[in-house]
Every structure is written in structure tokens, then in C-alpha cells.
């Protein structure tokens, strides 16, 4: 990768700095970026020399940014965002020879991810008959299994739709959502004054949550059952009940979010995995490219805002690295 702006200021150095700012650890940064620890340290030294300031306070554990590092971090992130957008745009260009594509996307992404993804694909596939549908994950599973869709972005099923290849996008961990100010120190059994708000059992989320409740030995009345995320969010925010949901769903709560407190789910961790399914005859680079763009959009619109609101999520809620990420790391 060529130098730019200043001698020693490289894309890899910016990536190392950005990652270390989040991890506070050379070893963790090296593991995440597929590098050796000495290589990470060398990149940091080169970057500090290029800028003429120390960016990391190495005397602290975990490591923290110096005042200069805190000032430089948002600029580094902005530069990386622009560079990744350019790289992403280049990777999406070579789709003009496609003749047809049928894509299904989970309803969760209808307002944020899907419009951007559809625009990118429409611009890249100038000669393609493009069909886009949105729906619940279980409906998309059935459609791709019947070959009514070529590609589907949705929650992973159990089992996966037959004859499909899976590209993981992000694990969406389940969390406890209660009216703002509710004391949850006594666990789920102490929430008896509130009604449990169930998901539609046809939904992947509803099935996973029901299994969790059964495993936990909880006996909760079937008073409310609904398939609308916004309705559930409104009832929690209004003080009617509590629910088990995910960060992705909470970010979609919109105006209700400020009246909802989120906490780690008691007991063993559980998550729904958001994936891209492609039918067996779509084994080339196109599903990889679409998955890469989806991961970027999920990070921008859901994962980053959720981690800012719920810092305890940490690395539980980050997009999976795709093949292109691994290749890029190996080349740098």
C-alpha cells in the first residue's frame, strides 16, 4: 500500500491505531487484524513518527490515548471511512453482466440498510432485472429454499434453508429491555409486576426467546404476543411490560428508545446470527461483495450506535470479517 499525505502515514497504520484505541491491547489488536504483535508496535511507531507526536500512553494497562491521540482519532476514523467507501465502491463495479437477481432482505433493515444496498446494486447492475423483497426471516427462508430468491439477508434458521451457502454478517445478542429506571437486580423473576411481551412464535426471534424462557424454567403468562417491533418498544417505553430483544431491534425503536433501559441478558449469552444466504449456483464473488457492503451498512447504522448506547456490548456486536477483509489484511 503506497504512502499518502506524509511519509510513514499509511492505511495500515491508521487501522492499527483505530483498533488499538478500542482494544487498549497490542495483542488483541494483532489478533483482530491478523498481524504479529511486533508488526502492530512498528506500525504505531511509524505513525507517531510521521505525525511527530505520541498517540498512545504505553505506561497504562489497558493502553489509553494521549491527548494528541484523542484529538487525532476522529480524523483517522473519518479518513478510514472515506477510504473504505472508495474501496467498497470499486469492489461493487463489476456486476454489469448479471442478467437477473432476486434479493430478499429482513424487515429490520427496511429503513436503513436496504435503501442503500438497493441503490448500490441498481447502479452497478445496469443490464440486470433486479427484484427486491422484504419480509420476516422465516418467510425469506421459505422463498430461498423454493428458489424464489437468489440471495436473502435475514436471521439464520435452524436448519438453514436447503441448498444454500451462508455468509455470516453479524451476531445480534439478546438483551433484557425494561421501562427506564426499572430495578433488575433481582433477575427476571423480580419483574412480576410487569407483563412479559412475547414475539410471534413464527419469527426466528420468537422461537429463540421461547427456548431461552423454557430452559430458564420461567413460567410467564401469554397475555401479549405480537410481531411488531415498534409496538413492543412502545409498550416497554410506556411501562406496560418488559421483553427480551436485541441491540439491532432496540436501535430501531426510534422515539421510544429513550424510555427503555437495556441490560445484559441473565444467564448464558444468546444471539441471533444475521447472515446472507445464497443459493448453490451463486458461488462466485457476487454474494461476497453484497455481504461486504451489508456489513459496512450494518456497522454504520446499527452496530456503532448500539455500542455507543450500550458500551457493555463490546465486541459482541461487531460485523463478522468477510473474505475480502481477510484478503486485505494479508496484503498489508
Amino acid at each position: 500500500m503506497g504512502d499518502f499525505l506524509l511519509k510513514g502515514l499509511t492505511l495500515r497504520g491508521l487501522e492499527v491505531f483505530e483498533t488499538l484505541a478500542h482494544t487498549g491491547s497490542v495483542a488483541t489488536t494483532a489478533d483482530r487484524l491478523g498481524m504479529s504483535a511486533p508488526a502492530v508496535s512498528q506500525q504505531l511507531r511509524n505513525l507517531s513518527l510521521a505525525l511527530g507526536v505520541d498517540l498512545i500512553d504505553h505506561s497504562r494497562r489497558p493502553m489509553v490515548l494521549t491527548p494528541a491521540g484523542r484529538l487525532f482519532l476522529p480524523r483517522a476514523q473519518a479518513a478510514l471511512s472515506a477510504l473504505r467507501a472508495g474501496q467498497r465502491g470499486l469492489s461493487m463495479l463489476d456486476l454489469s453482466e448479471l442478467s437477473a437477481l432476486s434479493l430478499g432482505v429482513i424487515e429490520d433493515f427496511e429503513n436503513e440498510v436496504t435503501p442503500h444496498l438497493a441503490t448500490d446494486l441498481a447502479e452497478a447492475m445496469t443490464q440486470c432485472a433486479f427484484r427486491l423483497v422484504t419480509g420476516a426471516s422465516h418467510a425469506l427462508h421459505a422463498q430461498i429454499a423454493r428458489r424464489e430468491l437468489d440471495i436473502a439477508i435475514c436471521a439464520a434458521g435452524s436448519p438453514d434453508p436447503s441448498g444454500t451457502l451462508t455468509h455470516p454478517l453479524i451476531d445480534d445478542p439478546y438483551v433484557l429491555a425494561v421501562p427506564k429506571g426499572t430495578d433488575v437486580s433481582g433477575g427476571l423473576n423480580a419483574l412480576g409486576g410487569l407483563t412479559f411481551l412475547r414475539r410471534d412464535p413464527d419469527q426466528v426471534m420468537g422461537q429463540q426467546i421461547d427456548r431461552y424462557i423454557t430452559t430458564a424454567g420461567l413460567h410467564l403468562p401469554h397475555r401479549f404476543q405480537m410481531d411488531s417491533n415498534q409496538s413492543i418498544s412502545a409498550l416497554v417505553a410506556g411501562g406496560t411490560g418488559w421483553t427480551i430483544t436485541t441491540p439491532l431491534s432496540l436501535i430501531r425503536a426510534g422515539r421510544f428508545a429513550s424510555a427503555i433501559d437495556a441490560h445484559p441478558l441473565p444467564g448464558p449469552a444468546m444471539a441471533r446470527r444475521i447472515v446472507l444466504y445464497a443459493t448453490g449456483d451463486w458461488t462466485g464473488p457476487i454474494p461476497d461483495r453484497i455481504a461486504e457492503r451489508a456489513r459496512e451498512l450494518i456497522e454504520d447504522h446499527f452496530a456503532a450506535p448500539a455500542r455507543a448506547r450500550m458500551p457493555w456490548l463490546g465486541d459482541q456486536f461487531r460485523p463478522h470479517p468477510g473474505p475480502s477483509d481477510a484478503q486485505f489484511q494479508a496484503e498489508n
Side-chain angles (χ1 to χ4, degrees):
M1 180 66 65
D3 296 344
F4 62 98
L5 294 181
L6 294 172
K7 182 175 177 59
L9 187 62
T10 65
L11 176 57
R12 174 54 72 181
L14 293 176
E15 286 187 314
V16 166
F17 171 63
E18 179 192 44
T19 305
L20 186 64
H22 290 293
T23 65
S25 164
V26 168
T28 304
T29 298
D31 181 65
R32 185 173 295 175
L33 295 180
M35 301 170 63
S36 67
V40 166
S41 298
Q42 186 61 53
Q43 288 288 349
L44 288 171
R45 282 194 294 271
N46 292 345
L47 183 59
S48 292
L49 286 171
L51 296 172
V53 293
D54 289 328
L55 300 174
I56 303 291
D57 183 349
H58 296 271
S59 67
R60 304 271 297 275
R61 291 293 183 275
M63 296 178 183
V64 297
L65 301 184
T66 64
R70 291 194 296 271
L71 182 65
F72 183 64
L73 179 60
R75 292 166 172 77
Q77 290 172 324
L80 284 168
S81 179
L83 288 164
R84 287 164 179 159
Q87 181 195 28
R88 184 171 63 233
L90 290 172
S91 72
M92 291 294 293
L93 287 177
D94 191 21
L95 304 178
S96 58
E97 295 184 2
L98 276 179
S99 59
L101 172 65
S102 293
L103 172 68
V105 183
I106 192 174
E107 293 166 326
D108 303 56
F109 293 153
E110 189 167 9
N111 293 331
E112 294 86 7
V113 172
T114 305
H116 292 284
L117 190 59
T119 300
D120 289 348
L121 290 171
E123 291 176 351
M125 300 182 298
T126 55
Q127 306 300 318
C128 179
F130 181 41
R131 174 174 171 255
L132 173 68
V133 300
T134 61
S137 292
H138 64 278
L140 299 178
H141 291 175
Q143 290 179 67
I144 197 168
R146 294 194 299 264
R147 297 299 186 269
E148 294 170 6
L149 295 173
D150 301 310
I151 293 174
I153 295 174
C154 55
S158 181
D160 293 326
S162 61
T164 58
L165 301 174
T166 304
H167 302 253
L169 302 181
I170 192 169
D171 288 340
D172 192 20
Y174 285 97
V175 299
L176 175 63
V178 297
K180 194 170 186 65
T182 301
D183 182 6
V184 299
S185 60
L188 301 185
N189 288 320
L191 299 175
L194 297 171
T195 300
F196 176 59
L197 306 173
R198 292 180 182 270
R199 298 266 175 177
D200 183 340
D202 285 337
Q203 296 180 342
V204 171
M205 283 183 69
Q207 295 165 10
Q208 291 181 322
I209 293 169
D210 283 348
R211 285 196 292 271
Y212 173 86
I213 291 169
T214 299
T215 301
L218 298 173
H219 301 284
L220 304 172
H222 286 70
R223 184 182 172 197
F224 286 95
Q225 180 175 294
M226 54 194 75
D227 64 0
S228 167
N229 182 72
Q230 293 304 92
S231 295
I232 291 175
S233 298
L235 290 171
V236 175
T240 298
W242 64 277
T243 195
I244 296 173
T245 186
T246 68
L248 194 154
S249 297
L250 275 179
I251 292 299
R252 293 176 56 225
R255 63 190 177 91
F256 303 116
S258 61
I260 298 173
D261 282 343
H263 302 275
L265 190 65
M270 178 178 71
R272 65 169 180 166
R273 174 163 289 188
I274 307 298
V275 303
L276 181 148
Y277 287 126
T279 56
D281 48 348
W282 285 75
T283 57
I286 291 173
D288 286 338
R289 293 172 183 168
I290 296 175
E292 180 182 358
R293 179 58 172 142
R295 291 184 190 103
E296 293 277 356
L297 291 168
I298 292 168
E299 168 66 18
D300 291 345
H301 292 279
F302 291 101
R307 293 194 306 269
R309 180 184 170 187
M310 297 168 271
W312 43 266
L313 286 172
D315 288 342
Q316 294 181 73
F317 196 47
R318 290 184 185 274
H320 285 264
S324 56
D325 298 320
Q327 178 183 0
F328 180 78
Q329 292 165 7
E331 292 172 354
N332 291 272

